[in-house]
Amino acid sequence: MHLLYDVVYNIITIIIVLFILYKVKYTLDRQTNTILFINILWATALISAIIIASDLLVGRTNKIANIAQTLLIDIRNGISGIIGCYWCIYIICENPQRRKWLFMGNRYYIMHIPALFLMIVSLESFFTGHIAFADPLTNRIVEGKYYFIHIAITYLYFTIASVIVLIRLFMGRYEKRFWPTKLMFSFLPCLAGLAHLLISDVGFVWITLALLLMMEHVDFANAQVSTDSLTRLNNRGAFDRYIKTSLAENYVNVYLFMIDIDLFKQINDTYG
């Protein structure tokens, strides 16, 4: 029954991810964070497809099915580290200053070292079974003696991302309307990972990531609607919503200044 749930969860995950990819293609520009976001989406869809294929191989005990199952397990473990890496980099790059810091020198490539190490170890596990292997009798996934490496590296990235988000929330770096999504970004991946450890047959992690990615896409869209594409400053729509909210909540210290510059239209028409 757990396998059936797992297949259903991952089909839903793929549907959600493909829907977001379709929307992203037509609504978001190709900035660094958008590219990272798209990479996470594709990797999540791929790992969900691998899990579905792996579930369908359970119970098939011929040699070819056993080899295919082992290969799928190792590829899945390697990709999970890449997703964690991009997830962490994506969170870091939300801050423009940190984005510049990350891409200076070799820091961006250094961030990939644990994920690349996990991928190499996972491929080596195909021959040794150190990370995971397929039971020849049932073709189910069996954790190897070094399976903790996969868990440690994947959730190291998620934990770092969670800590960064919590620090930014504490320092007031996010607008209040983005707080729910950011809080979920902090806790849900780790909670889903804990649930997966308790019920290893069901992949809670990837459906959770898909839902978080959908929430992030909604925040992306709201941010684009609220900001000017050139200056990245709040536009008239954001101004109207802020005034409406301020008046509704009876803020005491709300001031409005209106400034008119003589002949500025000529300057704007000439120089843009």
Side-chain angles (χ1 to χ4, degrees), residues 5-132:
Y5 290 154
D6 202 32
V7 170
V8 173
Y9 288 153
N10 283 284
I11 289 174
I12 294 172
T13 298
I14 292 173
I15 293 171
I16 292 172
V17 168
L18 291 179
F19 172 78
I20 301 171
L21 280 166
Y22 172 78
K23 300 297 287 186
V24 166
K25 180 179 179 181
Y26 295 104
T27 59
L28 298 182
D29 50 21
R30 291 298 183 266
Q31 295 183 352
T32 303
N33 259 32
T34 307
I35 295 171
L36 289 169
F37 187 70
I38 291 172
N39 289 341
I40 295 171
L41 288 169
W42 279 117
T44 303
L46 177 59
I47 206 169
S48 294
I50 289 173
I51 292 172
I52 292 172
S54 177
D55 289 338
L56 295 176
L57 286 173
V58 171
R60 301 177 185 274
T61 56
N62 60 76
K63 186 67 174 179
I64 295 176
N66 188 257
I67 293 173
Q69 183 73 295
T70 303
L71 182 61
L72 288 173
I73 295 166
D74 296 328
I75 293 173
R76 184 200 68 180
N77 290 338
I79 294 175
S80 66
I82 296 297
I83 292 177
C85 178
Y86 279 124
W87 189 276
C88 187
I89 292 173
Y90 173 79
I91 293 298
I92 292 173
C93 288
E94 284 186 324
N95 184 318
Q97 293 180 342
R98 288 300 175 187
R99 186 187 309 154
K100 293 178 181 179
W101 170 84
L102 181 64
F103 284 94
M104 288 175 61
N106 296 318
R107 295 186 183 98
Y108 175 77
Y109 300 102
I110 292 172
M111 284 285 295
H112 288 75
I113 290 176
L116 291 175
F117 173 75
L118 176 58
M119 183 168 287
I120 293 170
V121 172
S122 296
L123 292 176
E124 181 268 345
S125 179
F126 177 75
F127 303 99
T128 63
H130 285 158
I131 302 295

Side-chain angles (χ1 to χ4, degrees), residues 180-198:
T181 302
K182 299 308 178 185
L183 283 171
M184 290 185 182
F185 255 69
S186 297
F187 296 110
L188 282 186
C190 296
L191 291 176
L194 179 61
H196 178 62
L197 291 176
L198 297 175

Side-chain angles (χ1 to χ4, degrees), residues 101-231:
W101 170 84
L102 181 64
F103 284 94
M104 288 175 61
N106 296 318
R107 295 186 183 98
Y108 175 77
Y109 300 102
I110 292 172
M111 284 285 295
H112 288 75
I113 290 176
L116 291 175
F117 173 75
L118 176 58
M119 183 168 287
I120 293 170
V121 172
S122 296
L123 292 176
E124 181 268 345
S125 179
F126 177 75
F127 303 99
T128 63
H130 285 158
I131 302 295
F133 59 92
D135 186 344
L137 298 178
T138 62
N139 216 23
R140 284 179 174 271
I141 299 171
V142 179
E143 297 174 1
K145 61 181 179 179
Y146 297 131
Y147 184 76
F148 69 91
I149 294 176
H150 156 65
I151 297 296
I153 291 178
T154 301
Y155 288 98
L156 171 66
Y157 284 120
F158 285 131
T159 302
I160 292 173
S162 298
V163 171
I164 292 172
V165 170
L166 288 174
I167 291 173
R168 289 176 181 170
L169 281 168
F170 181 77
M171 297 177 66
R173 298 290 177 84
Y174 296 116
E175 296 181 40
K176 286 186 178 180
R177 58 184 172 143
F178 298 137
W179 284 9
T181 302
K182 299 308 178 185
L183 283 171
M184 290 185 182
F185 255 69
S186 297
F187 296 110
L188 282 186
C190 296
L191 291 176
L194 179 61
H196 178 62
L197 291 176
L198 297 175
I199 309 176
S200 58
D201 286 339
V202 182
F204 294 103
V205 177
W206 311 115
I207 183 67
T208 302
L209 291 192
L211 293 173
L212 287 175
L213 290 168
M214 175 169 276
M215 295 174 64
E216 184 70 4
H217 172 67
V218 171
D219 283 351
F220 255 137
N222 286 336
Q224 281 205 321
V225 169
S226 302
T227 57
D228 178 77
S229 60
L230 179 62
T231 64

Side-chain angles (χ1 to χ4, degrees), residues 237-251 254:
F239 170 78
D240 290 341
R241 284 192 296 274
Y242 178 78
I243 293 296
K244 184 178 180 180
T245 302
S246 300
L247 294 176
E249 297 184 6
N250 297 317
Y251 288 168
V254 177

Side-chain angles (χ1 to χ4, degrees), residues 239 243 254-258:
F239 170 78
I243 293 296
V254 177
Y255 303 95
L256 176 63
F257 293 90
M258 299 185 68

